[in-house]
Amino acid sequence: MLMEGFGTLLWLITLVVLGLAVFAFVDAAIRREDAYRAADKQTKQFWLIILGIAVVVNLVPIPGLGMLLMLVGLIASIVYIVDVRPALKQVAGGGRGGRRGGGSSSDGPYGPFNGR
């Protein structure tokens, strides 16, 4: 009973790690190449290779080094999501809320609209 629950927990963790790797890979694939250079990050090809390997390692069980490679893939996915992705979004103009400058919804092109 205990081992069955532990197996289910490991399966769920593996599924979450795979989901992170797939999300990071797809996000890296849709970003423009020049955004990586502008953000002063590694190249798009570098991230696609690293994250692609992370996805494959999570999908194909590798005896021996499998868990270590999964951990390395998880770290790469987290680094991409936490560090590279926000830098790419900032360079590409994908700011918060879809508005540039973070102004109020009542702001006009020359400043706040006060109704006069």
Side-chain angles (χ1 to χ4, degrees):
M1 179 78 171
L2 183 62
M3 291 303 287
E4 186 176 313
F6 184 69
T8 302
L9 178 65
L10 281 179
W11 182 80
L12 288 173
I13 291 171
T14 303
L15 196 62
V16 168
V17 171
L18 174 63
L20 281 174
V22 168
F23 172 76
F25 180 78
V26 170
D27 189 77
I30 63 173
R31 302 289 173 181
R32 294 178 13 196
E33 172 66 37
D34 60 339
Y36 289 85
R37 287 185 301 241
D40 198 28
K41 300 297 177 185
Q42 293 288 336
T43 64
K44 179 176 183 173
Q45 183 179 8
F46 171 85
W47 282 108
L48 288 176
I49 290 170
I50 295 297
L51 296 170
I53 291 171
V55 170
V56 169
V57 165
N58 281 293
L59 287 174
V60 179
I62 300 172
L65 293 176
M67 290 301 278
L68 178 64
L69 292 175
M70 283 178 64
L71 181 61
V72 170
L74 174 63
I75 291 169
S77 299
I78 290 172
V79 167
Y80 178 84
I81 291 169
V82 171
D83 181 45
V84 178
R85 184 172 186 259
L88 295 176
K89 286 177 73 173
Q90 184 177 16
V91 166
R96 296 178 193 165
R99 276 186 250 130
R100 286 185 251 167
S104 169
S105 63
S106 65
D107 283 354
Y110 305 110
F113 178 75
N114 57 10
R116 291 185 219 182

